[in-house]
Amino acid sequence: MRWLLLVVALGGCDVVFHIDEIPAGSGSDGGSGSGSGSGGVCEGTLVGLSGSGGAGLVQVCVTSIEAIDLPATIDTGSCAIMVSQPTGPALCVYAGKTIGVPANVRVVGSHPLVLAASGTITISGTIDLSGTATEPGPAGDTPNCDAGSGTTGTIGSANGGGGGGGGSFSTAGGHGGIAGGTGGNPSNVGTVSHVRGGCMGGMGGNGLAAGGAAGHSGGAIYVASATAIVVTGNLNASGGGGGRGFAATTSSSGGGGGGSGGLIAFDAPTLDISTGQVWANGGGGGGGGGGNSSSNGDLGLGSTAPAEVGAGGGGGAGTPPGGTGGAGAAFDNSASPGNPSSAGGGGGGGAGGQGVVVFYGTTVMTGSQNISPTLVPD
């Protein structure tokens, strides 16, 4: 069987893409029946652009009559259906008559994930698109938006490295803490003109040991249905925490900055999150290493629920702690110098800023405090 895929992405003007002769996907490697007829005319159901005035980022022609469930692991770099968008990485598309998420699904890879269905999309399990200590979520760590790294401490002068800045998306990340080295600046606040992930944090400044690793950002998902989206489970696109700074006798290293949250976008006439949870918070900054070899800093942590932001790593004695990840205003520890009584301490890493949760549609039902950051209407 042959399918054609029609995607319309809004990025200043409408752009139409065709992919011919895409084989039937099994649902485990990228999609199952998405297409249009010959000549670019959709012979199925156009899904997406459900917001007022056709607002939305993606439109897909779905011809599949299959009901599919997502697999436990998705690598968006190896999808059966991959489509370019005018700006940013290509889209990994899973399509079906209905789509279910009955269990836990971990999504990784260099491309955003798109779910498209002519019927209802039901997310009763968990879709994990978060950044971690070792990898970003899908299409996370957007190019050219990394936060600044902390600078190296003055070796031999008992001054530690500065903390890395936090990644930004809808809100700015925190500045890295000042020690002997200066703290890194957060990245610039971004916009949602296409489907993209968040921004990576900055590296902690070196001391006698290497600075803390930068936190990876949350990824990107676009969920589109012609009828309804129901979330009774969880979607998490939060940023990862920054790495710890290490203690040394005269010059400890700074903590890494946390990654920002990513993008969770819904596109349907009706969205029901009255019993589910959706969040894209920033990751916590890593703690700086303690002066005089007192203790290493703690790891920054990621967010585990909408109301639980990424915790900052506790600094070693006499150093500024890492920033707390963004779920409201981003933490800014730029004015926190190392304690002179604890020479050589490294600066704490800045927090990651919030990601984006957006809805393109007309009817939304939500519960109390189950979405973070606040849902943005089209």
Side-chain angles (χ1 to χ4, degrees):
M1 177 177 288
R2 294 184 178 184
W3 285 306
L4 299 175
L5 176 65
L6 168 67
V7 173
V8 179
L10 301 185
C13 61
D14 292 355
V15 181
V16 178
F17 302 90
H18 277 137
I19 295 182
D20 295 320
E21 299 184 87
I22 296 179
S26 66
S28 63
D29 62 352
S32 184
S34 165
S36 72
S38 61
V41 176
C42 180
E43 295 180 350
T45 302
L46 283 173
V47 175
L49 309 190
S50 302
S52 57
L57 300 176
V58 173
Q59 189 173 52
V60 181
C61 178
V62 178
T63 60
S64 172
I65 60 173
E66 296 181 45
I68 65 172
D69 287 334
L70 296 187
T73 302
I74 295 175
D75 182 348
T76 60
S78 59
C79 281
I81 300 175
M82 195 81 76
V83 180
S84 298
Q85 54 178 337
T87 302
L91 307 171
C92 164
V93 181
Y94 275 70
K97 181 178 181 181
T98 61
I99 298 177
V101 185
N104 295 332
V105 178
R106 173 61 179 166
V107 188
V108 297
S110 54
H111 300 272
L113 176 64
V114 174
L115 306 181
S118 55
T120 300
I121 296 177
T122 304
I123 302 173
S124 55
T126 294
I127 302 180
D128 180 7
L129 311 121
S130 64
T132 69
T134 57
E135 63 184 358
D141 294 354
T142 296
N144 304 315
C145 73
D146 294 354
S149 297
T151 63
T152 299
T154 307
I155 307 299
S157 298
N159 289 315
S168 304
F169 195 173
S170 68
T171 63
H175 291 267
I178 300 168
T182 57
N185 292 321
S187 53
N188 294 325
V189 173
T191 58
V192 184
S193 59
H194 61 282
V195 187
R196 50 156 288 187
C199 295
M200 192 175 187
M203 290 281 296
N206 295 336
L208 291 175
H216 294 285
S217 78
I221 186 171
Y222 198 93
V223 186
S225 166
T227 56
I229 300 168
V230 179
V231 182
T232 59
N234 304 311
L235 277 85
N236 178 13
S238 297
R244 72 180 81 226
F246 294 93
T249 52
T250 58
S251 182
S252 298
S253 57
S260 81
L263 170 67
I264 300 173
F266 300 104
D267 189 329
T270 299
L271 170 64
D272 185 348
I273 320 179
S274 54
T275 60
Q277 296 189 113
V278 175
W279 69 104
N281 296 323
N292 299 325
S293 298
S294 57
S295 61
N296 296 326
D298 293 331
L299 292 171
L301 301 178
S303 176
T304 57
E308 297 179 10
V309 302
T319 66
T324 300
F331 187 92
D332 183 340
N333 60 1
S334 61
S336 302
N339 187 333
S341 66
S342 180
Q354 290 177 307
V356 176
V357 181
V358 61
F359 172 52
Y360 303 102
T362 55
T363 304
V364 60
M365 294 168 281
T366 64
S368 175
Q369 297 183 345
N370 62 349
I371 300 174
S372 180
T374 302
L375 184 71
V376 178
D378 66 69

